[in-house]
Amino acid sequence: MTYCLGILSPEGLVLASDSRSNAGVDQVARVCKLSLLTVPGERVIAILGAGNLATTQSVVGQLHQAQGGGVVGQDVNIAPTMFDIATMVGDKLRAVIARDGSYVERYGDATASFIVGGQIRGGPHRLFEIYSAGNFVEAFPRYNFLQIGETKYGKPILDRALGSDSPLDEAAKLALLSFDATIRSNLSVGLPIDILRYRADSFSTADLATLDEDNAYWSALRDGYSDGLSALIDSLPAPPPHWGPDAAPRDYQENAVA
Amino acid sequence: MTYCLGILSPEGLVLASDSRSNAGVDQVARVCKLSLLTVPGERVIAILGAGNLATTQSVVGQLHQAQGGGVVGQDVNIAPTMFDIATMVGDKLRAVIARDGSYVERYGDATASFIVGGQIRGGPHRLFEIYSAGNFVEAFPRYNFLQIGETKYGKPILDRALGSDSPLDEAAKLALLSFDATIRSNLSVGLPIDILRYRADSFSTADLATLDEDNAYWSALRDGYSDGLSALIDSLPAPPPHWGPDAAPRDYQENAVA
């Protein structure tokens, strides 16, 4: 399983992925699910992939091979907008599934999905999720994070704490707390975390990191959250012996209905 | 969707369910997913159902109808152990799916699952999850909570905070926080919450409550948790400008691979 997360902040983008690849119980490997297609100072495109690893690598590999080749619709370096990039990723995904899907079917699932984020000079920073069908949606301030893979464990903390105006560093902190929740609840999502903190208009991927368990910030954040949460839960009152007059049980069935 | 949760504490059981039934976007209703089969002072059996509502109501309805009838394998009042009760629920589920499944197939999914908890005088309090296939597993101290339905949003807080020796009131508090996380992240899980706090050897269902948004404890817990969590997250340090020497990015692909 995989967990990938993209957050759209007014100040930029956070894109993060875990590293676990498991194709059955006896084959667990570490892979990097984050790829960059860049022209420093001019365009930054980050792609996170979930699903069939052969499919995601094929899509990204073809984009890499075509980069700089000058073919319209193939070369990310000449795509006019991030919308066009998202379209290209969806088209490549459809082509790979059309080519490999029927062969893979007897062994498993060839489908995949992607989060694509970035910025092309002259346009805003944008964030997309490409579905298995090759169509896609874009994040906007009103719904400013996109997840693929094992999405549910890490969603509550984002629902609670992430705002449409959260600064980039706040978004990065919440992204890591979302990964912490996911990793604790699902063994098939694992370290290290690749995380790109992209500041709008920087056109730079310099702030890319690979965080393993011994990273000082990650472990401080994780421990601080865990200790703080335990203290918070302890501080909340236990349920009263009686739930109150408005809590009378209702509508349930007890015993023979005849 | 549905969320049902059972927790096994050394002091007893917590069994809780939400009330949302949605069969498509235009038909959302409130239902009670908790049923009791009791002989006061002698046996308490609580059943929580998730999945196809016709299936769960058929299973529970048949158990209610057969209660007190004296037929071995049908009458919960004469089942010797909670294991036998779990077997009966699984058998009824198989019978209902065998009867209705092929008719329902063209419209949707007839499957269902259950959490069954309780105690029969002379035996311990026990907790089971009955799968759609009719087989089942039992909770033990090492893995002491069982969930059915929309399980993932509410799992991280239990993974973090619930211990095998958590007292009954602590378990009830954590159960409600787990529901809070689920309800916040999934619109198809909704109030009120039916919650039974069963104290071992009481053979009583007196501590059953239906909690709606205006219940004083529920809203105090929910607000206290929300405010405390916001304060906790704010108190944690933001990621540093540089992630540290051990966080150098590695293994990712950037630009043309040729």
Side-chain angles (χ1 to χ4, degrees), chain B residues 11-96:
Chain B
E11 297 181 354
L13 298 167
V14 174
L15 293 138
S17 59
D18 86 307
S19 295
R20 191 66 53 87
S21 168
N22 66 321
V25 288
D26 58 352
Q27 189 192 13
V28 176
R30 286 180 166 201
V31 296
C32 186
K33 303 165 187 177
L34 178 144
S35 295
L36 297 173
L37 295 147
T38 62
V39 180
E42 200 208 304
R43 60 181 65 204
V44 164
I45 296 151
I47 302 181
L48 309 173
N52 186 296
L53 188 63
T55 300
T56 61
Q57 290 191 351
S58 180
V59 168
V60 173
Q62 289 183 54
L63 291 171
H64 276 301
Q65 289 211 27
Q67 191 183 10
V71 179
V72 173
Q74 305 281 329
D75 180 359
V76 296
N77 286 7
I78 59 172
T81 68
M82 285 302 301
F83 183 90
D84 297 319
I85 301 286
T87 306
M88 284 170 62
V89 174
D91 288 349
K92 286 276 179 240
L93 175 60
R94 286 174 180 170
V96 169

Side-chain angles (χ1 to χ4, degrees), chain B residues 197-241:
Chain B
R197 186 170 43 171
Y198 173 73
R199 199 161 292 277
D201 303 328
S202 71
F203 301 101
S204 160
T205 59
D207 195 0
L208 173 67
T210 299
L211 305 180
D212 227 322
E213 54 201 306
D214 51 2
N215 177 260
Y217 178 70
W218 166 257
S219 48
L221 182 71
R222 188 177 159 91
D223 293 349
Y225 186 72
S226 186
D227 295 346
L229 198 63
S230 296
L232 169 59
I233 291 170
D234 286 347
S235 78
L236 296 171

Side-chain angles (χ1 to χ4, degrees), chain B residues 4 8 50 60 72 103 120 136 146 148 165 177 192 221 226 233:
Chain B
C4 298
L8 176 73
V60 173
V72 173
Y103 296 92
I120 294 170
F136 54 85
L146 298 171
I148 55 175
D165 55 353
L177 290 173
L221 182 71
S226 186
I233 291 170

Side-chain angles (χ1 to χ4, degrees), chain A residues 206-231:
Chain A
D207 195 0
L208 173 67
T210 299
L211 304 181
D212 227 323
E213 53 201 306
D214 52 2
N215 177 261
Y217 177 71
W218 166 257
S219 47
L221 182 71
R222 187 177 158 90
D223 292 349
Y225 185 72
S226 185
D227 295 346
L229 197 62
S230 295

Side-chain angles (χ1 to χ4, degrees), chain A residues 116-139:
Chain A
V116 177
Q119 187 177 19
I120 294 170
R121 188 171 286 282
H125 58 290
R126 296 170 76 177
L127 181 67
F128 299 88
E129 176 178 342
I130 286 85
Y131 296 130
S132 301
N135 56 342
F136 55 85
V137 293
E138 181 170 5

Side-chain angles (χ1 to χ4, degrees), chain B residues 50-59 92-114 131-133:
Chain B
N52 186 296
L53 188 63
T55 300
T56 61
Q57 290 191 351
S58 180
V59 168
K92 286 276 179 240
L93 175 60
R94 286 174 180 170
V96 169
I97 290 176
R99 181 187 145 85
D100 293 348
S102 64
Y103 296 92
V104 177
E105 205 172 327
R106 78 194 69 173
Y107 307 104
D109 186 355
T111 63
S113 56
F114 295 93
Y131 297 130
S132 301

Side-chain angles (χ1 to χ4, degrees), chain B residues 128-197:
Chain B
F128 298 88
E129 177 178 342
I130 287 84
Y131 297 130
S132 301
N135 57 342
F136 54 85
V137 293
E138 183 170 4
F140 285 102
R142 198 174 287 190
Y143 190 75
N144 67 333
F145 67 92
L146 298 171
Q147 305 168 290
I148 55 175
E150 182 56 85
T151 63
K152 293 187 177 181
Y153 301 117
K155 186 167 180 283
I157 192 152
L158 300 172
D159 284 333
R160 281 181 192 277
L162 184 67
S164 58
D165 55 353
S166 294
L168 191 60
D169 284 340
E170 177 80 6
K173 182 169 77 176
L174 291 169
L176 292 175
L177 290 173
S178 175
F179 272 82
D180 182 36
T182 308
I183 289 169
R184 280 179 190 270
S185 285
N186 190 325
L187 289 177
S188 74
V189 172
L191 295 174
I193 297 165
D194 294 300
I195 182 165
L196 174 65
R197 186 170 43 171

